[in-house]
Amino acid sequence: MGSPKISRRIMLGRTGLAAAAVGLTLAGCGGGGSASPEASGDAGSSAPLTPVKLQLQWVAQAQFAGYYAALDQGYYKDEGLDVSILEGGPDIVPQDVLSAGDVDYAISWVPKVLGSIEKGAKITDVAQIFERSGTTQISFKDKNITTPGDLAGKNVGSWGYGNEWELFAGMQKAGVDVGAIKLVQQAFDMNGFLAGDIDAAQAMTYNEYAQVLESENPATGQLFTPDDLNVISWNDVGTNMLQDAIWANSDKLSSDTAYQDQTTKFIKASIKGWVYARDNAEQAADIVTKAGSQLGVSHQKWQTNEVNKLIWPSTSGGIGMISDVAWTRTVGIAKGTKNETGATIISADPPETAKSTTYVEKALAELKSEGVDVEGKNFAPLTVTLEKGGA
């Protein structure tokens, strides 16, 4: 497999620092009409690879390790696909890019896409990669916030943009309306929390939580530890919603047999990438770094490890399967939880085309026949030591 070409652009990363985000694409046909080795299929084969564009939800980081690993290890090429990975950012809405026909697949959270579907987007969840939620609300121990009910009267941070619904659902389940807190617009970093301006901050287990543990406690001169924090997990509260999924074009799934076949192949190769990231977490972290992520070595390893925990072990018959229980819970929260204006994400159940297990079931069957472990029942996470600043 030849070396992939790299195109570079500057984007604001989730850490709040200017990051050089890298879009990694396999080389395509040259201007003179001759195809590069990557675009011409396997050695000795004249069959060209099918160009495929994947839109990520955020910049290059281990949240997407499986896709980068599938590209790096040649799994997409094995399925006859020439995949380009397009990074996201603050101003990019993956489902809108997919709905507009600018890409073939997109990664996004289910509740965000449900709102887009109700507004007319014709896209389908074809593989639910994250089985568990990575969203938490964290606070320092001296704030005495251990349950959603304790958030009443507190300065509560949220990024907004559809990231707040598990928080609101957890609060309302505990009898705390949004009006009972001071909702703080949280930046895409933990500076406000560390400065004391936010009592309870939103934090992904694989990113912002680690940012705190990479920071120095001014009282001790040492890094903060988990013992310094209280963590509210929405998985424990029961208001967790489905997050990273692979989305496809609904109309093309209903009428384009080539796209249907391509979707199975894309899911299959992506799952192999996630299996690689599970079994080779440190190598997967390195792959993402080489793809352009600006995160430090220890932070990248932490992120890979924590993302693996959201996927493995699979309890739904294999990675990518859509749990009816989790889907129903997510839809229920989207219909029944109100934000600060009294609005909900959706007003009615989504159409049947909002999800399909047809293609992931085919992909899993093929992988199982090849001896690939798609459930990861024996998964054991790494022990990762964070360094100051995530270095």
Side-chain angles (χ1 to χ4, degrees), residues 12-180:
L12 181 66
R14 194 161 189 173
T15 60
L17 302 175
V22 178
L24 187 63
T25 64
L26 289 177
C29 295
S34 61
S36 68
E38 290 87 345
S40 59
D42 295 334
S45 171
S46 60
L49 301 179
T50 301
V52 171
K53 291 182 180 179
L54 170 65
Q55 176 65 62
L56 300 183
Q57 186 170 256
W58 199 250
V59 297
Q61 59 180 20
Q63 177 183 357
F64 313 109
Y67 311 108
Y68 283 108
L71 186 62
D72 181 84
Q73 295 297 301
Y75 299 147
Y76 290 128
K77 182 181 177 183
D78 292 343
E79 295 299 323
L81 306 178
D82 175 20
V83 172
S84 299
I85 298 179
L86 308 180
E87 294 182 41
D91 301 320
I92 296 176
V93 181
Q95 60 267 31
D96 289 352
V97 179
L98 174 62
S99 184
D102 296 328
V103 296
D104 300 285
Y105 305 101
I107 308 301
S108 190
W109 288 9
V110 172
K112 296 179 183 182
V113 181
L114 289 179
S116 296
I117 290 174
E118 184 161 275
K119 294 176 182 177
K122 295 182 179 180
I123 52 182
T124 302
D125 181 347
V126 291
Q128 186 59 51
I129 301 301
F130 284 14
E131 183 173 318
R132 303 165 190 86
S133 168
T135 312
T136 66
Q137 210 72 20
I138 67 173
S139 58
F140 286 116
K141 284 286 180 68
D142 61 2
K143 299 296 183 180
N144 296 315
I145 300 172
T146 60
T147 69
D150 297 328
L151 294 170
K154 304 293 185 180
N155 295 327
V156 180
S158 173
W159 305 303
Y161 303 106
N163 296 292
E164 68 274 19
W165 292 100
E166 291 169 302
L167 163 66
F168 290 170
M171 289 167 45
Q172 289 166 35
K173 183 178 181 180
V176 179
D177 292 330
V178 179

Side-chain angles (χ1 to χ4, degrees), residues 10-20 59 188-189 191 294-295 389:
I10 303 301
M11 182 176 289
L12 181 66
R14 194 161 189 173
T15 60
L17 302 175
V59 297
F188 289 109
D189 57 44
N191 294 340
Q294 298 301 295
L295 299 176

Side-chain angles (χ1 to χ4, degrees), residues 222-301:
Q222 304 297 317
L223 298 183
F224 285 109
T225 72
D227 290 338
D228 296 316
L229 301 168
N230 284 325
V231 179
I232 298 175
S233 167
W234 304 119
N235 295 302
D236 297 336
V237 173
T239 58
N240 50 311
M241 303 176 80
L242 290 171
Q243 299 188 342
D244 289 34
I246 298 174
W247 297 86
N249 182 297
S250 303
D251 285 342
K252 292 176 70 175
L253 287 176
S254 67
S255 61
D256 188 336
T257 55
Y259 184 73
Q260 295 167 4
D261 183 54
Q262 174 185 292
T263 298
T264 298
K265 292 178 178 179
F266 180 79
I267 294 171
K268 179 182 177 183
S270 297
I271 288 176
K272 286 186 71 174
W274 281 112
V275 171
Y276 178 91
R278 177 195 70 201
D279 297 340
N280 306 274
E282 294 195 26
Q283 293 92 325
D286 291 340
I287 288 170
V288 178
T289 298
K290 291 175 183 176
S293 176
Q294 298 301 295
L295 299 176
V297 173
S298 70
H299 190 102
Q300 198 77 265
K301 290 181 180 178

